[in-house]
Structure formats: structure tokens, C-alpha cells
Amino acid sequence: SLRYLVYFRTATTLILPVLIMIVTTGLILCYLVKSRRVARRAGSKTQLQGVATVVITVIVYCVSIIPTIVAYIFTYIAPEWQSDEFSWFSTCFTGLNIM
């Protein structure tokens, strides 16, 4: 039962935020596409900077969280593979979101 609790913790702290980011990105992109159509009907030009910003932000977040997910998975699957260097790398790599 403790093992399932570990899986639940990993899913809720690492995988769920990534899924939420992907779903909210889809919703935001739908909204931006609709607003672009409305702006075109009104005769104004819209740029794709908003779409590009949203997509790049989500891609950077999802890519930066991958090392952390891998570190957590290896901690539970093979504890002897756990290293301080990789843990440090995954923590710093996640900091790319802030930049």
C-alpha cells in the first residue's frame, strides 16, 4: 500500500501539472484562434505572437520537468542509481521555467 502512495504522490506532484498545462494551453489556443477570426472579420490584422508565446511557454515547461520526473521514477525503481549530480541537474533544469 505504501508503494501505491508513492505512485500517487509522483503522479500528483509531477504528471498532473504537466497535463494541466497541456489542457489549459489547448483552451487558450482555442480562445486565441477565435479572437483572431473575430479580428479578421472586423478588418484588423492580428499577429501570432500570443499563440507563439503560449506554445513556447508550455514546451519549455514540459521539457524542463522531464529530468525531475525521470529522477523520481529512478528513485523508486532503482535506488542504487540515485545520484546527487542528477538530482541537482534536474532541480536546476526545472529552473528554466523561471527564466
Side-chain angles (χ1 to χ4, degrees):
S1 70
L2 183 62
R3 185 176 185 157
Y4 293 115
L5 184 62
V6 168
Y7 293 142
F8 179 74
R9 177 180 158 239
T10 303
T12 56
T13 59
L14 296 173
I15 298 170
L16 188 63
V18 172
L19 293 177
I20 290 172
M21 286 287 288
I22 292 170
V23 168
T24 55
T25 299
L27 295 173
I28 291 171
L29 290 177
C30 288
Y31 176 75
L32 289 174
V33 168
K34 286 181 185 180
S35 65
R36 184 180 169 121
R37 286 185 203 147
V38 170
R40 281 190 176 178
R41 281 188 223 144
S44 66
K45 292 183 178 181
T46 58
Q47 297 178 357
L48 294 175
Q49 291 174 346
V51 173
T53 302
V54 170
V55 170
I56 289 171
T57 302
V58 169
I59 289 172
V60 167
Y61 175 76
C62 291
V63 167
S64 69
I65 201 79
I66 288 173
T68 306
I69 293 171
V70 170
Y72 272 116
I73 290 172
F74 274 114
T75 299
Y76 300 120
I77 293 176
E80 66 273 1
W81 284 18
Q82 183 179 6
S83 69
D84 292 334
E85 291 84 12
F86 187 73
S87 177
W88 179 83
F89 171 76
S90 66
T91 303
C92 291
F93 202 71
T94 306
L96 288 176
N97 294 329
I98 301 167
M99 294 180 200

